Amino acid sequence: MATAARRVSEAGKAEASSAGVGTAGATAHAWRRAFRDLPREHGFEPLRVEGQLPEGLRGTLYRTGPSLFSTFGRRYGHWFDGDGAVSAVRFDGGGGARGAVKLVESLGRKEEQRRGRAHYPNYGTTAPTAWRGLVAGLTGDLKNTANTSVMIWQGRLYALMEACRPTELSIEDLATLGERDLDGAVVRTFSAHPHYVPARRAAYNFGVRYGRHIELDLFELPDGGRARRLTTLTLPGATMVHDFIATERHLVFFVPPLRLRLFRQLVGIGAFADNLRWRPEQGTEVIVVPIDAPDRPRRFTVPAFYQWHFATAFERGDELVVDYVRYADFASNHWLGEILDGPARSPIGGTLHRAVVDPARGTLTDEERAAVPCEFPRVARAAQENRFVYVAAHSDAEAGRGMFDRLARIDVARGSIDSIALGPAQYPSEPVFVRRPDGRDESDGWLLVLVYDGMADKSCVAVLDARDPARGAIARAWFDHHVPFTFHGNFAPA
Ligand SMILES: [Fe+2]
């Protein structure tokens, strides 16, 4: 690891101890210590297992997240900006687990190492000089942090970040193999949120391209055969699209009324995130793309709202039913930036909603399904109706301003919430559902959750029985170090 990275780790420790973390009863905000650089990279090695890992749980949980918080002494300005590290925990089905974690060796990191200094602007971090900001703005020369999600496609592993191309990693040892364009399908960007549609035996994704027009490329990645670009649509303005959702027949986008102040961005005044303005008067544009007729999308505008993540969506007659975490506006972006330095000034504030979209009539009706503040929604069955949505959630202790400190299972049909505590100072990531082999119904499986233990200052993958998640972890596989908080991950069955 770079010398600069080690130095920041030390500084982080000092800060944590001065905050009193680890003293008796002082667990408040213990999550802060996880925002220190990854302390160690390694290939697969045995993990200490606590409890009994289930027989039948065989395969690997891959996750990625920002894992260096500065570059050559220059602190990043937003959680989204850290250099990515991919972690992997491989369950052997016989009670054992092995873990690996490695930084993605991006071309951008290599360029900074060659120069011996910071070189790139990022989402919430300005370029080191105005000139560099201008060049990056004109040429799109960004650092591909690969820090947002992972995709396993046709047996290959990719780390994803929405402003760049996928980065392929070795599935054996997480070594970085390089950026890929997926059979030439990816023009410039590939979002970190592909969605699989079992009925079509294909995953779908998009990329947003900034240029004279703001364009939305749509991609199809079949289980067999080549990836292809379905179509390219033009967006209403210089906005940001983080996620979308797929049903068996449609791709659905809620395009938020963010507008980038292009001149400021080009001349390097402020970071990208600072230059995104919330323009509610423009409304949120709903785009429904028929997968079999992608050049005939249905588009209409509804009163403004924002979303980072979708849970699932499905077809119901002529309607599309969409479960997602909804926000009134873009204020959650401040939480995502401020959390690096301690509790944010205001709660993140999203809750699980259900929207019913009628593409022919051009209507969207919406209803909150559970009042618990949450994020990172996951379900058992993609592109289908699910009774349960699993989320990372907040207890009252953090009041929504700190890190997620519990899980919740939301019964979408009834609107009821099962809160799942993992213990004091335990901070979960997004819960990933893994189906039990020959699993019979929606809950027949496990939840795999990368958890930061703020008391031990170590991370583990906790395994919960999805039939009774309120019981808490039935087993944990422990790294001997902390893994900085991750955004998204996926499980590859053995
Ligand atoms: Fe995301």
Side-chain angles (χ1 to χ4, degrees), residues 44-59:
F44 283 97
E45 59 187 36
L47 302 184
R48 182 174 68 81
V49 174
E50 178 188 338
Q52 184 76 42
L53 289 171
E55 274 180 45
L57 177 58
R58 291 182 69 236

